[in-house]
Amino acid sequence: MLEVDDLTVAYGGVVALNGVSLQVPEASITTVLGANGAGKTTLVRAISGLVAARGGSVRVDGTALTGMAPERIARLGVAHVPEGHGVISELSTEENLRLGCLWLGGANDRRAATEEAYELFPPLAARRRLPAANLSGGERQMLSIARALAARPRVLLLDEPSLGLAAVILAQIMQRLRELARSRNLAVLLIEQNARSALSVADEAVVLSLGSVVARDRAERLARDESLRHAYLGF
Amino acid sequence: MRTFLILTVDGVTSGFIYAMVALALVMIWRATRVINYAQGAMAMFTTYVALFAIQHRVTYWLAFVIALGAGFVFGAGVERLLVRPIEGRAPLNMVILTLGLLILLEAVAPMLFGGDVKSFPAPFSRIDITAGATQLYVSPFDIFVIAAALLVMLLLLVFFQRTTIGLRMRAAAFRPEIARLLGIRVGRMLTLGWGLAAVLGALAGVLIAPGIFLYPNNMDEALVFGFTGAILGGLDSPVGAVTGAIVVGLVLSYVGGYLGSDLETVGGLVMLIAVLMVRPQGLFAFHRQRQA
């Protein structure tokens, strides 16, 4: 369970996130929607410790993360797939995956985690030894999500996974994500600009505008709210 | 023919020493995006440490290990205490820092160790081997230098390509922020990288000293030629740096042998400028353009 309470972040004098609160229960997906500049990326970066919060708190299964360095937060089971996928293109597919499961107990666990990743995303298995730079956009996004999952996280933060992906591949990845959230008891926070696809997989949805939460509801209900869709989601 | 062989062996041997300086520069460049101008001066310092140990009846081999160990501590310390506080500021700050450290070390060394030229022992004979009546133009010490350099390069390759900590270091160097999100302590990887780079430098210092003697700025040329080799190969490529440095060693040896030793340094400069004009990204660099 991920709990964000009254989180406030400011860059210099500019408030990017203004008292945002949300909960993501286990085995569920919450999507955060909003236009460019609404504070979506700031929210995930604050959760994973890349930007410091000015106020409020973030908890994972009751443990407060506020003020911790990102590398510690990562080891506590928060996996963050950053915007633009964040695979390390100079390293091979396999090496990227190995970086995902650095903190698993033994060598056997780590091997199992990489093999699982290939089962989850079969296209990657044929690319093991290739530098990630040679992968297609879809494969890179798969690799990035697979690497995050290889850490066996409790919380998965996804920042704009739809960016630059073909609709078919996006639908596949989203479907996978839904199954995984259930089967692995994952709390998934899905940041999206592509509201339509995000609402189709999410359980809950939160709409951010200028750093504040302006709407929150069950995803399917929010998708039906026409005035909200027009005002904030653009479809 | 005879001259050519002698010059070639000389060139390759010094090329391997420049290669270690070049590798040290490349390692730090890849991790911290700074040219460590103090790399040579740090190596000079650790060589003095080795000489100090030898003068106090420590065996050559133990002193050799002490020099490398001192190099690691020195490099890691410089990263921790000097580089870390100015990280993320303007790149010029870092340049001034490493240049300042170079000047500082070369000023402090004569106070601590004396400014005179000292001889430094070689563990093997520096006289060319003869097989029967034919001279081979290569000395046991030359063989040792090349073997030590090759061994260290092999160890580094295995370390970076085959071990988890090597993988973590590469991740930290390529994409620090992503590395942090994967739980890697990037700062610690940088400290380790600076330490390892300084070990390479220390090795170069101990291997070059028997030939050029030891004095407070004895590594200046090795730094310039190592730098030239690294630029030649592309600052981002370890393989390129080694190849570039050996080419530099050979060219300088031929220039010095055929055109006169006064022209050696000029030869290095001409090569550097030529490469920067024709192929500034280096001979081995792939895709990316150099940023600084």
Short mmCIF file of all heavy atoms in Angstrom, two decimals, chain B residues 164-214:
data_model
loop_
_atom_site.label_atom_id
_atom_site.label_comp_id
_atom_site.label_asym_id
_atom_site.label_seq_id
_atom_site.Cartn_x
_atom_site.Cartn_y
_atom_site.Cartn_z
N THR B 164 29.23 -8.01 -10.74
CA THR B 164 28.06 -7.18 -10.46
C THR B 164 28.47 -5.76 -10.09
O THR B 164 27.85 -4.80 -10.51
CB THR B 164 27.25 -7.79 -9.31
OG1 THR B 164 26.99 -9.14 -9.64
CG2 THR B 164 25.93 -7.08 -9.14
N ILE B 165 29.56 -5.66 -9.33
CA ILE B 165 29.96 -4.31 -8.92
C ILE B 165 30.44 -3.51 -10.14
O ILE B 165 30.19 -2.32 -10.26
CB ILE B 165 30.99 -4.34 -7.78
CG1 ILE B 165 31.29 -2.94 -7.28
CG2 ILE B 165 32.27 -5.01 -8.16
CD1 ILE B 165 31.22 -2.82 -5.81
N GLY B 166 31.09 -4.20 -11.08
CA GLY B 166 31.49 -3.54 -12.33
C GLY B 166 30.28 -3.05 -13.11
O GLY B 166 30.27 -1.95 -13.65
N LEU B 167 29.26 -3.89 -13.14
CA LEU B 167 28.01 -3.53 -13.82
C LEU B 167 27.38 -2.31 -13.14
O LEU B 167 26.92 -1.38 -13.81
CB LEU B 167 27.04 -4.72 -13.79
CG LEU B 167 25.67 -4.52 -14.41
CD1 LEU B 167 25.79 -4.24 -15.91
CD2 LEU B 167 24.77 -5.72 -14.16
N ARG B 168 27.40 -2.31 -11.81
CA ARG B 168 26.85 -1.17 -11.08
C ARG B 168 27.63 0.10 -11.39
O ARG B 168 27.05 1.18 -11.55
CB ARG B 168 26.89 -1.45 -9.57
CG ARG B 168 25.67 -2.22 -9.12
CD ARG B 168 25.95 -3.09 -7.93
NE ARG B 168 26.29 -2.33 -6.74
CZ ARG B 168 26.66 -2.90 -5.59
NH1 ARG B 168 26.72 -4.21 -5.50
NH2 ARG B 168 26.95 -2.17 -4.56
N MET B 169 28.96 -0.04 -11.50
CA MET B 169 29.77 1.14 -11.80
C MET B 169 29.47 1.68 -13.19
O MET B 169 29.41 2.88 -13.41
CB MET B 169 31.26 0.81 -11.69
CG MET B 169 31.72 0.68 -10.25
SD MET B 169 33.47 0.28 -10.15
CE MET B 169 34.18 1.85 -10.64
N ARG B 170 29.28 0.74 -14.15
CA ARG B 170 28.96 1.20 -15.50
C ARG B 170 27.62 1.90 -15.52
O ARG B 170 27.45 2.95 -16.15
CB ARG B 170 28.98 0.02 -16.48
CG ARG B 170 30.40 -0.40 -16.87
CD ARG B 170 30.39 -1.44 -17.97
NE ARG B 170 29.85 -2.70 -17.48
CZ ARG B 170 29.23 -3.59 -18.25
NH1 ARG B 170 29.05 -3.35 -19.53
NH2 ARG B 170 28.79 -4.71 -17.73
N ALA B 171 26.63 1.31 -14.83
CA ALA B 171 25.31 1.94 -14.78
C ALA B 171 25.40 3.34 -14.18
O ALA B 171 24.82 4.28 -14.70
CB ALA B 171 24.35 1.07 -13.98
N ALA B 172 26.17 3.45 -13.09
CA ALA B 172 26.30 4.75 -12.43
C ALA B 172 26.96 5.77 -13.34
O ALA B 172 26.64 6.95 -13.32
CB ALA B 172 27.09 4.60 -11.13
N ALA B 173 27.92 5.30 -14.16
CA ALA B 173 28.62 6.22 -15.05
C ALA B 173 27.74 6.64 -16.22
O ALA B 173 27.71 7.81 -16.59
CB ALA B 173 29.91 5.58 -15.57
N PHE B 174 27.00 5.68 -16.80
CA PHE B 174 26.19 6.00 -17.97
C PHE B 174 24.96 6.84 -17.61
O PHE B 174 24.67 7.83 -18.25
CB PHE B 174 25.73 4.72 -18.68
CG PHE B 174 26.83 4.00 -19.39
CD1 PHE B 174 26.99 2.63 -19.23
CD2 PHE B 174 27.71 4.67 -20.23
CE1 PHE B 174 28.00 1.94 -19.89
CE2 PHE B 174 28.71 4.00 -20.89
CZ PHE B 174 28.86 2.64 -20.72
N ARG B 175 24.22 6.41 -16.61
CA ARG B 175 22.97 7.09 -16.25
C ARG B 175 22.84 7.14 -14.74
O ARG B 175 22.14 6.34 -14.13
CB ARG B 175 21.77 6.31 -16.84
CG ARG B 175 21.75 6.18 -18.37
CD ARG B 175 21.36 7.47 -19.07
NE ARG B 175 20.00 7.87 -18.78
CZ ARG B 175 18.93 7.43 -19.42
NH1 ARG B 175 19.06 6.56 -20.39
NH2 ARG B 175 17.74 7.86 -19.10
N PRO B 176 23.47 8.16 -14.11
CA PRO B 176 23.47 8.21 -12.65
C PRO B 176 22.08 8.20 -12.02
O PRO B 176 21.85 7.52 -11.03
CB PRO B 176 24.21 9.52 -12.34
CG PRO B 176 24.66 10.08 -13.63
CD PRO B 176 24.24 9.22 -14.75
N GLU B 177 21.16 8.95 -12.63
CA GLU B 177 19.84 9.03 -11.99
C GLU B 177 19.11 7.69 -12.06
O GLU B 177 18.49 7.25 -11.09
CB GLU B 177 19.01 10.13 -12.65
CG GLU B 177 17.74 10.41 -11.88
CD GLU B 177 16.98 11.60 -12.42
OE1 GLU B 177 17.38 12.74 -12.12
OE2 GLU B 177 15.98 11.40 -13.13
N ILE B 178 19.20 7.04 -13.22
CA ILE B 178 18.58 5.72 -13.37
C ILE B 178 19.22 4.75 -12.38
O ILE B 178 18.53 3.95 -11.73
CB ILE B 178 18.76 5.19 -14.81
CG1 ILE B 178 18.16 6.15 -15.83
CG2 ILE B 178 18.17 3.79 -14.95
CD1 ILE B 178 16.68 6.34 -15.72
N ALA B 179 20.53 4.83 -12.25
CA ALA B 179 21.23 3.94 -11.33
C ALA B 179 20.70 4.10 -9.91
O ALA B 179 20.48 3.12 -9.19
CB ALA B 179 22.74 4.20 -11.37
N ARG B 180 20.46 5.35 -9.51
CA ARG B 180 19.94 5.58 -8.16
C ARG B 180 18.56 4.95 -8.01
O ARG B 180 18.24 4.37 -6.98
CB ARG B 180 19.85 7.08 -7.87
CG ARG B 180 21.19 7.78 -7.92
CD ARG B 180 21.08 9.20 -7.43
NE ARG B 180 20.98 9.24 -5.99
CZ ARG B 180 20.70 10.35 -5.30
NH1 ARG B 180 20.48 11.48 -5.92
NH2 ARG B 180 20.64 10.31 -3.99
N LEU B 181 17.75 5.06 -9.05
CA LEU B 181 16.41 4.47 -8.99
C LEU B 181 16.48 2.95 -8.90
O LEU B 181 15.52 2.29 -8.52
CB LEU B 181 15.59 4.87 -10.22
CG LEU B 181 15.13 6.32 -10.27
CD1 LEU B 181 14.37 6.59 -11.55
CD2 LEU B 181 14.27 6.66 -9.05
N LEU B 182 17.61 2.37 -9.27
CA LEU B 182 17.77 0.92 -9.17
C LEU B 182 18.45 0.54 -7.86
O LEU B 182 18.80 -0.62 -7.65
CB LEU B 182 18.59 0.41 -10.36
CG LEU B 182 17.90 0.59 -11.72
CD1 LEU B 182 18.85 0.32 -12.85
CD2 LEU B 182 16.67 -0.29 -11.82
N GLY B 183 18.64 1.53 -6.99
CA GLY B 183 19.17 1.23 -5.67
C GLY B 183 20.69 1.30 -5.57
O GLY B 183 21.27 0.90 -4.57
N ILE B 184 21.34 1.82 -6.64
CA ILE B 184 22.81 1.88 -6.63
C ILE B 184 23.27 3.17 -5.96
O ILE B 184 22.78 4.25 -6.28
CB ILE B 184 23.35 1.80 -8.07
CG1 ILE B 184 23.00 0.44 -8.67
CG2 ILE B 184 24.86 2.04 -8.11
CD1 ILE B 184 23.16 0.38 -10.17
N ARG B 185 24.23 3.04 -5.03
CA ARG B 185 24.78 4.23 -4.41
C ARG B 185 25.82 4.83 -5.36
O ARG B 185 26.98 4.41 -5.37
CB ARG B 185 25.45 3.88 -3.08
CG ARG B 185 24.47 3.48 -2.02
CD ARG B 185 25.14 3.59 -0.67
NE ARG B 185 24.20 3.22 0.39
CZ ARG B 185 24.15 2.01 0.93
NH1 ARG B 185 24.98 1.07 0.54
NH2 ARG B 185 23.28 1.75 1.88
N VAL B 186 25.38 5.80 -6.14
CA VAL B 186 26.22 6.34 -7.20
C VAL B 186 27.49 6.98 -6.64
O VAL B 186 28.58 6.81 -7.17
CB VAL B 186 25.42 7.34 -8.07
CG1 VAL B 186 26.32 8.06 -9.05
CG2 VAL B 186 24.32 6.60 -8.81
N GLY B 187 27.34 7.68 -5.53
CA GLY B 187 28.50 8.34 -4.92
C GLY B 187 29.60 7.34 -4.61
O GLY B 187 30.77 7.56 -4.88
N ARG B 188 29.19 6.20 -4.05
CA ARG B 188 30.17 5.18 -3.70
C ARG B 188 30.87 4.61 -4.96
O ARG B 188 32.06 4.33 -4.95
CB ARG B 188 29.46 4.06 -2.95
CG ARG B 188 30.33 3.36 -1.98
CD ARG B 188 29.52 2.45 -1.10
NE ARG B 188 28.94 3.16 0.04
CZ ARG B 188 28.39 2.53 1.07
NH1 ARG B 188 28.33 1.22 1.08
NH2 ARG B 188 27.90 3.21 2.08
N MET B 189 30.09 4.48 -6.03
CA MET B 189 30.67 3.98 -7.29
C MET B 189 31.70 4.97 -7.83
O MET B 189 32.74 4.58 -8.36
CB MET B 189 29.57 3.76 -8.34
CG MET B 189 28.56 2.70 -7.97
SD MET B 189 29.30 1.06 -7.74
CE MET B 189 28.92 0.76 -6.03
N LEU B 190 31.40 6.27 -7.69
CA LEU B 190 32.34 7.29 -8.16
C LEU B 190 33.63 7.23 -7.35
O LEU B 190 34.73 7.30 -7.91
CB LEU B 190 31.74 8.69 -8.03
CG LEU B 190 30.62 9.05 -9.00
CD1 LEU B 190 30.24 10.51 -8.85
CD2 LEU B 190 31.04 8.78 -10.44
N THR B 191 33.49 7.08 -6.05
CA THR B 191 34.69 6.99 -5.19
C THR B 191 35.54 5.81 -5.63
O THR B 191 36.76 5.92 -5.79
CB THR B 191 34.27 6.82 -3.72
OG1 THR B 191 33.31 7.82 -3.40
CG2 THR B 191 35.46 6.94 -2.79
N LEU B 192 34.89 4.67 -5.85
CA LEU B 192 35.59 3.47 -6.28
C LEU B 192 36.28 3.70 -7.63
O LEU B 192 37.42 3.31 -7.84
CB LEU B 192 34.58 2.33 -6.37
CG LEU B 192 35.09 0.93 -6.64
CD1 LEU B 192 36.11 0.52 -5.60
CD2 LEU B 192 33.92 -0.06 -6.64
N GLY B 193 35.56 4.37 -8.55
CA GLY B 193 36.11 4.65 -9.87
C GLY B 193 37.36 5.52 -9.81
O GLY B 193 38.37 5.24 -10.46
N TRP B 194 37.29 6.56 -8.99
CA TRP B 194 38.47 7.44 -8.83
C TRP B 194 39.61 6.67 -8.20
O TRP B 194 40.77 6.85 -8.56
CB TRP B 194 38.11 8.67 -7.98
CG TRP B 194 37.52 9.78 -8.76
CD1 TRP B 194 36.26 9.83 -9.28
CD2 TRP B 194 38.15 11.01 -9.15
NE1 TRP B 194 36.06 11.01 -9.94
CE2 TRP B 194 37.21 11.75 -9.88
CE3 TRP B 194 39.42 11.56 -8.94
CZ2 TRP B 194 37.49 13.02 -10.41
CZ3 TRP B 194 39.70 12.81 -9.47
CH2 TRP B 194 38.75 13.54 -10.19
N GLY B 195 39.28 5.80 -7.25
CA GLY B 195 40.31 4.98 -6.61
C GLY B 195 41.00 4.07 -7.61
O GLY B 195 42.23 4.03 -7.70
N LEU B 196 40.20 3.37 -8.42
CA LEU B 196 40.77 2.45 -9.41
C LEU B 196 41.60 3.20 -10.45
O LEU B 196 42.67 2.75 -10.86
CB LEU B 196 39.66 1.66 -10.10
CG LEU B 196 39.01 0.57 -9.27
CD1 LEU B 196 37.91 -0.12 -10.06
CD2 LEU B 196 40.04 -0.45 -8.80
N ALA B 197 41.10 4.38 -10.87
CA ALA B 197 41.84 5.17 -11.85
C ALA B 197 43.21 5.55 -11.28
O ALA B 197 44.23 5.48 -11.98
CB ALA B 197 41.05 6.42 -12.22
N ALA B 198 43.22 5.92 -10.01
CA ALA B 198 44.49 6.32 -9.40
C ALA B 198 45.43 5.12 -9.23
O ALA B 198 46.65 5.28 -9.23
CB ALA B 198 44.24 7.01 -8.06
N VAL B 199 44.87 3.90 -9.10
CA VAL B 199 45.72 2.71 -9.06
C VAL B 199 46.44 2.55 -10.41
O VAL B 199 47.64 2.27 -10.46
CB VAL B 199 44.90 1.44 -8.75
CG1 VAL B 199 45.73 0.19 -8.95
CG2 VAL B 199 44.37 1.49 -7.33
N LEU B 200 45.68 2.76 -11.49
CA LEU B 200 46.29 2.70 -12.83
C LEU B 200 47.40 3.73 -12.95
O LEU B 200 48.49 3.45 -13.46
CB LEU B 200 45.24 3.00 -13.89
CG LEU B 200 44.33 1.86 -14.33
CD1 LEU B 200 43.24 2.40 -15.23
CD2 LEU B 200 45.16 0.82 -15.07
N GLY B 201 47.11 4.95 -12.49
CA GLY B 201 48.10 6.01 -12.54
C GLY B 201 49.34 5.63 -11.74
O GLY B 201 50.47 5.77 -12.21
N ALA B 202 49.10 5.09 -10.53
CA ALA B 202 50.22 4.71 -9.66
C ALA B 202 51.09 3.65 -10.34
O ALA B 202 52.32 3.69 -10.28
CB ALA B 202 49.69 4.18 -8.33
N LEU B 203 50.43 2.71 -11.01
CA LEU B 203 51.17 1.68 -11.74
C LEU B 203 52.04 2.32 -12.83
O LEU B 203 53.22 2.00 -12.97
CB LEU B 203 50.19 0.67 -12.34
CG LEU B 203 50.78 -0.50 -13.12
CD1 LEU B 203 51.66 -1.35 -12.21
CD2 LEU B 203 49.69 -1.35 -13.74
N ALA B 204 51.43 3.24 -13.59
CA ALA B 204 52.19 3.94 -14.62
C ALA B 204 53.39 4.66 -14.01
O ALA B 204 54.50 4.62 -14.55
CB ALA B 204 51.29 4.93 -15.36
N GLY B 205 53.16 5.30 -12.86
CA GLY B 205 54.23 6.05 -12.20
C GLY B 205 55.41 5.17 -11.83
O GLY B 205 56.57 5.53 -12.06
N VAL B 206 55.12 4.01 -11.26
CA VAL B 206 56.19 3.10 -10.84
C VAL B 206 56.91 2.50 -12.05
O VAL B 206 58.12 2.27 -12.01
CB VAL B 206 55.61 1.99 -9.94
CG1 VAL B 206 56.69 1.02 -9.53
CG2 VAL B 206 54.94 2.58 -8.73
N LEU B 207 56.17 2.26 -13.12
CA LEU B 207 56.78 1.63 -14.29
C LEU B 207 57.60 2.60 -15.13
O LEU B 207 58.55 2.20 -15.81
CB LEU B 207 55.69 0.98 -15.17
CG LEU B 207 54.96 -0.22 -14.55
CD1 LEU B 207 53.94 -0.78 -15.52
CD2 LEU B 207 55.94 -1.31 -14.12
N ILE B 208 57.22 3.87 -15.09
CA ILE B 208 57.92 4.84 -15.94
C ILE B 208 59.17 5.39 -15.24
O ILE B 208 60.15 5.79 -15.89
CB ILE B 208 56.97 5.99 -16.36
CG1 ILE B 208 57.45 6.64 -17.67
CG2 ILE B 208 56.83 7.03 -15.27
CD1 ILE B 208 56.46 7.64 -18.24
N ALA B 209 59.15 5.39 -13.89
CA ALA B 209 60.20 6.06 -13.13
C ALA B 209 61.62 5.52 -13.38
O ALA B 209 62.57 6.31 -13.44
CB ALA B 209 59.87 6.05 -11.64
N PRO B 210 61.82 4.20 -13.53
CA PRO B 210 63.19 3.73 -13.78
C PRO B 210 63.79 4.35 -15.04
O PRO B 210 65.00 4.59 -15.12
CB PRO B 210 63.03 2.21 -13.92
CG PRO B 210 61.79 1.89 -13.18
CD PRO B 210 60.89 3.07 -13.38
N GLY B 211 62.96 4.63 -16.04
CA GLY B 211 63.45 5.16 -17.31
C GLY B 211 63.62 6.66 -17.31
O GLY B 211 64.55 7.19 -17.93
N ILE B 212 62.72 7.39 -16.65
CA ILE B 212 62.76 8.85 -16.74
C ILE B 212 63.18 9.50 -15.43
O ILE B 212 63.23 10.72 -15.33
CB ILE B 212 61.40 9.44 -17.18
CG1 ILE B 212 60.32 9.19 -16.11
CG2 ILE B 212 60.96 8.86 -18.53
CD1 ILE B 212 59.09 10.05 -16.30
N PHE B 213 63.47 8.69 -14.39
CA PHE B 213 63.81 9.17 -13.05
C PHE B 213 62.60 9.80 -12.36
O PHE B 213 61.57 10.00 -12.98
CB PHE B 213 64.99 10.16 -13.06
CG PHE B 213 66.22 9.54 -13.67
CD1 PHE B 213 66.65 9.94 -14.93
CD2 PHE B 213 66.91 8.54 -13.00
CE1 PHE B 213 67.77 9.35 -15.51
CE2 PHE B 213 68.03 7.96 -13.57
CZ PHE B 213 68.46 8.36 -14.83
N LEU B 214 62.80 10.06 -11.07
CA LEU B 214 61.69 10.57 -10.27
C LEU B 214 62.00 11.98 -9.80
O LEU B 214 63.04 12.23 -9.17
CB LEU B 214 61.49 9.64 -9.05
CG LEU B 214 60.35 10.00 -8.09
CD1 LEU B 214 59.02 10.09 -8.81
CD2 LEU B 214 60.28 8.98 -6.97
#
